[in-house]
Amino acid sequence: MRFETYLIDGSEVRIPIPENYSDCVKLIKSDNYRHNGRKDSIFRIWLSSFTRTSMQFSLWYRLSQHKGWAKPLTRYMLNRMKIKCGLFIPAKTKIGYGMYIQHCFGIVINPTAVIGNNSHFSQLTSIGANTQQAAKIGNNVYLGPGSIIVDNIEIGSGACIGAGAVVVKSVQQNAVVGGVPAKALNSLPHPEYIRHPYKEEWL
């Protein structure tokens, strides 16, 4: 596994980049752990993908990140997920380990976005850009339903983006924001939103 390091709101964020299918499987297992807190075998995860859309997407998204012999199949299946569920998350989008999709519907992420580890995506989330670079998002960030992240801004680790928020300015670490445009709220972060966080040393 290769790692790329990004400085997001003053903190280093290490994004794993799979170099073979074995690395892809490790990332799939990390996503599965976020869902149920278990370190399941890839066979059990594959079986669960028939009834759990989030794991079905994770399976094909992670495998499509490696340009190996199965690339035509993995890219085809990823495209089917896009059509079936409106999950516009290209294979080239950099998302760290422990990806959690709460409801697999209507999620659009620009391919230039950089998203840290143990991320939480809700339905109708959009991370876009009118420029050549989309947002950089740290670790353990919760994105509420209908949240929109616009252009090349930074979302610090531990931040919580409220439902329906339109974020047009950078957000500090552990901040809670909401509204249109999003502003800091007088409330504490909700760490329980990041369920079953995965650890890098388990990769």
Side-chain angles (χ1 to χ4, degrees):
M1 188 84 72
R2 178 172 62 87
F3 288 85
E4 291 185 358
T5 302
Y6 296 85
L7 190 64
I8 301 176
D9 190 39
S11 296
E12 288 189 354
V13 175
R14 282 164 47 92
I15 307 292
I17 307 296
E19 296 185 298
N20 50 53
Y21 286 123
S22 177
D23 289 345
C24 295
V25 168
K26 291 178 182 178
L27 293 175
I28 292 168
K29 289 183 176 181
S30 76
D31 298 343
N32 177 73
Y33 184 85
R34 285 293 316 286
H35 284 79
N36 55 31
R38 298 195 308 262
K39 296 181 181 180
D40 292 332
S41 67
I42 190 63
F43 178 71
R44 184 169 182 174
I45 294 171
W46 176 72
L47 289 177
S48 72
S49 71
F50 289 97
T51 57
R52 179 178 287 175
T53 305
S54 56
M55 287 315 303
Q56 185 179 150
F57 175 80
S58 171
L59 189 75
W60 296 116
Y61 166 73
R62 296 299 191 182
L63 291 174
S64 68
Q65 289 188 297
H66 176 57
K67 299 177 181 179
W69 59 271
K71 177 182 174 181
L73 172 63
T74 58
R75 293 298 174 90
Y76 169 75
M77 293 302 295
L78 189 65
N79 190 59
R80 282 194 61 184
M81 295 298 297
K82 178 176 71 174
I83 297 171
K84 177 183 177 181
C85 303
L87 295 171
F88 288 74
I89 308 177
K92 65 175 64 175
T93 306
K94 296 176 181 177
I95 301 177
Y97 56 79
M99 174 182 66
Y100 180 94
I101 300 178
Q102 186 173 15
H103 297 292
C104 289
F105 180 78
I107 298 176
V108 180
I109 300 179
N110 188 285
T112 64
V114 175
I115 301 166
N117 307 296
N118 292 318
S119 56
H120 182 119
F121 301 109
S122 304
Q123 67 273 22
L124 303 177
T125 295
S126 180
I127 303 174
N130 294 313
T131 60
Q132 295 182 350
Q133 177 63 54
K136 295 182 178 67
I137 299 175
N139 300 327
N140 305 304
V141 171
Y142 172 86
L143 300 176
S147 56
I148 299 174
I149 314 296
V150 183
D151 283 338
N152 185 14
I153 61 175
E154 295 185 357
I155 309 295
S157 294
C160 178
I161 310 301
V166 178
V167 186
V168 296
K169 295 181 179 180
S170 293
V171 176
Q172 294 181 344
Q173 298 180 44
N174 301 314
V176 179
V177 301
V180 182
K183 296 180 180 179
L185 303 178
N186 294 323
S187 59
L188 296 174
H190 301 278
E192 66 270 18
Y193 285 175
I194 305 299
R195 301 188 302 173
H196 311 304
Y198 199 79
K199 298 180 180 180
E200 183 177 314
E201 56 265 28
W202 295 346
L203 289 176

